[in-house]
Amino acid sequence: IYFNEDVRATRNDITVYVGSVPTDQLSTFDSKLQDSFKRIASEGIDLERMRMVIDRDERQVRSRLESSGGDNFSHAIISDFLYGNPDGSDIEPVLNEIRLNNELRKWSSEQWAALLTKYLVTPERVVVIGKPSAAMAERIETEEKARIAKQRETLGEEGIAEAVQKLEAA
């Protein structure tokens, strides 16, 4: 299960990607996932685990700042310019993830449960189910083999050798 956020000028979406679900369970998976969110919200959040996740996130933030700080700052600054308060007051909280993490470490189980409920339990959602097709997988494999054979025939041995040289040079 992978969670992602899509922040736009007029809306924010939280997307949940789920993989490796047996096909016979696809039709009921969404309701089971929703039931799990509800159960977690009602039973409470494991604060030790949340602190561990926050610590891991902070290590990742620090690593990104060291390895590609410009990318982190440019994205935040561009987003603030486009969508933030014209007086610039929105930029400091965005750039200070360490302080935000320190605040989140103080949250209670109830605060985390309320957040989970607000964003993953209560809102309407759209569920898209992609069911794998064995016939399509076979067709794609057959078409790819035919494409490669045609490419080999078109290029010939000399063309393939030239392509290999170009690839290695690149």
Side-chain angles (χ1 to χ4, degrees):
I1 298 178
Y2 170 74
F3 294 82
N4 190 36
E5 63 178 329
D6 185 15
V7 179
R8 304 289 177 122
T10 57
R11 66 175 166 72
N12 293 340
D13 292 331
I14 297 175
T15 306
V16 181
Y17 296 97
V18 181
S20 300
V21 176
T23 54
D24 62 333
Q25 296 178 24
L26 286 173
S27 63
T28 59
F29 187 83
D30 175 56
S31 62
K32 290 178 181 178
L33 182 61
Q34 281 304 110
D35 290 344
S36 292
F37 289 150
K38 289 175 186 174
R39 179 184 47 77
I40 292 166
S42 69
E43 291 177 3
I45 305 299
D46 179 349
L47 294 179
E48 185 176 324
R49 170 80 173 133
M50 283 306 296
R51 285 186 188 97
M52 187 176 75
V53 169
I54 293 167
D55 290 345
R56 182 188 64 208
D57 179 67
E58 189 168 306
R59 285 190 304 275
Q60 291 172 345
V61 166
R62 291 177 189 272
S63 177
R64 280 193 315 268
L65 288 173
E66 287 180 9
S67 63
S68 58
D71 291 340
N72 287 291
F73 290 123
S74 65
H75 176 72
I77 291 167
I78 290 167
S79 294
D80 183 70
F81 177 79
L82 293 173
Y83 311 120
N85 194 326
D87 70 3
S89 61
D90 294 332
I91 191 70
E92 194 277 333
V94 171
L95 292 176
N96 198 345
E97 291 184 63
I98 306 302
R99 191 183 71 201
L100 174 61
N101 284 340
N102 288 334
E103 288 299 315
L104 292 176
R105 285 183 184 96
K106 298 175 189 173
W107 275 28
S108 67
S109 176
E110 292 76 20
Q111 287 172 296
W112 285 111
L115 187 74
L116 177 66
T117 300
K118 180 178 180 179
Y119 290 106
L120 293 174
V121 174
T122 305
E124 295 295 321
R125 63 194 180 280
V126 174
V127 178
V128 178
I129 298 173
K131 188 173 182 182
S133 166
M136 183 177 281
E138 288 175 20
R139 189 189 89 222
I140 290 170
E141 183 178 354
T142 301
E143 289 173 358
E144 182 63 6
K145 285 179 181 177
R147 185 194 69 78
I148 291 170
K150 183 178 178 191
Q151 185 74 351
R152 285 183 179 279
E153 182 182 317
T154 302
L155 290 174
E157 291 300 320
E158 190 175 300
I160 292 172
E162 187 179 316
V164 167
Q165 286 179 339
K166 286 181 181 179
L167 178 62
E168 288 174 355

